[in-house]
Amino acid sequence: MATKTWHSLPEYQALRALMENGTTSQAAIRLGLSQSAVSRSIASLEERTGRMLFEREGGRLRPTDEAVQMNRRLDPLFAALDRIDGPPEVERETLRIVAPPTYAHRFLVHHIATFLTTNPHFHLSLEVASSEDVIRGILEERFDLGFTGVELSRDGVKLTLFRTSSAVCAMASDHPLAERDTIHPEDLNEQSLIAISHRHARRAQLENILHSCRSAPRIVAEVSTSIAAVDLAKEGLGVTVVNPFPVVQYRSDDMVFRPFASPIAYRSYIVSPEHRPTSRVARAFIRHLRLHTPKDVFSQKA
């Protein structure tokens, strides 16, 4: 005979109460029903499912394995009902951030920590990606805010200027050029240079400047991030020309930074969706950054 397929919450409640309390009398007290009502619910459940859920021995009911398995499967249902009937859950607003390595590791991590310490009701996630993937992630709405030092304008993406800076030379404190107040392109002639890779537009700009001044440094290493360039310079490998923001804010004690006399300029942007309102948590985080980003002599806030 085919079994009936509807569901009956009172029947499930009777099963659960009987399993937890052991007797129909105790189950009836818990549910506020009569013993006969509990017994009818159990009989109806057995008939509807085609399973024997309790064995009757001398007026007592003993649950079968089928009853134990059904009761276990009912756990998620009653847990969900408890959440519905219980106090409302407070959902924390989430901010999804994406940024290249230099901004993520050397700038945002610290500010995320201080922001969440003072705003524990918010939740943040941070993804590290290339500048191209930052733009793509915002366009695809996988992230709410991005940070980039590359002006990659796209329809649907808003770039908000956050910081401006001019190029600096970074080197170890015992480097011969560290004694100078300003480094000129000619000063780099025959110096060991740690260069940013060619995929960055600033690399071609630097090469044009050096070529026009007939300055020919020896490129000893090429790296894709200013973090790596500055770290190699700290190891004494040579000098590097980089964007001082934000590396100068965490390396000023163990590195020497000198202005590089050139037209090379950098801009740091906050990236957001153009056609979507900025959320409350995003506005709060941007405000936190603007208030707590320390001043430095090489960059200026927009």
Side-chain angles (χ1 to χ4, degrees), residues 41 56 121 148 170 208 260 283 289:
S41 290
R56 288 126 179 111
H121 51 289
T148 182
N208 289 336
F260 183 57
R283 293 195 306 270
L289 289 180

Side-chain angles (χ1 to χ4, degrees), residues 8-10 12-13 16 74-87 89:
S8 171
L9 183 60
Y12 296 147
Q13 290 174 319
R16 204 162 180 83
L74 287 172
D75 285 343
L77 170 63
F78 283 91
L81 292 173
D82 288 341
R83 289 194 297 272
I84 293 172
D85 292 340
E89 295 181 356

Side-chain angles (χ1 to χ4, degrees), residues 110-167:
H110 169 72
H111 289 290
I112 287 173
T114 55
F115 178 75
L116 291 179
T117 299
T118 55
N119 299 275
H121 51 289
F122 290 139
H123 177 263
L124 271 74
S125 67
L126 174 62
E127 181 82 12
V128 180
S130 67
S131 291
E132 293 83 357
D133 287 336
V134 168
I135 301 299
R136 188 178 300 112
I138 295 294
L139 276 173
E140 295 173 356
E141 298 188 358
R142 291 184 287 113
F143 304 101
D144 307 300
L145 278 185
F147 292 82
T148 182
V150 181
E151 193 165 341
L152 293 171
S153 59
R154 298 283 191 281
D155 289 339
V157 170
K158 178 182 177 182
L159 298 180
T160 302
L161 187 60
F162 177 68
R163 206 86 177 177
T164 61
S165 52
S166 299

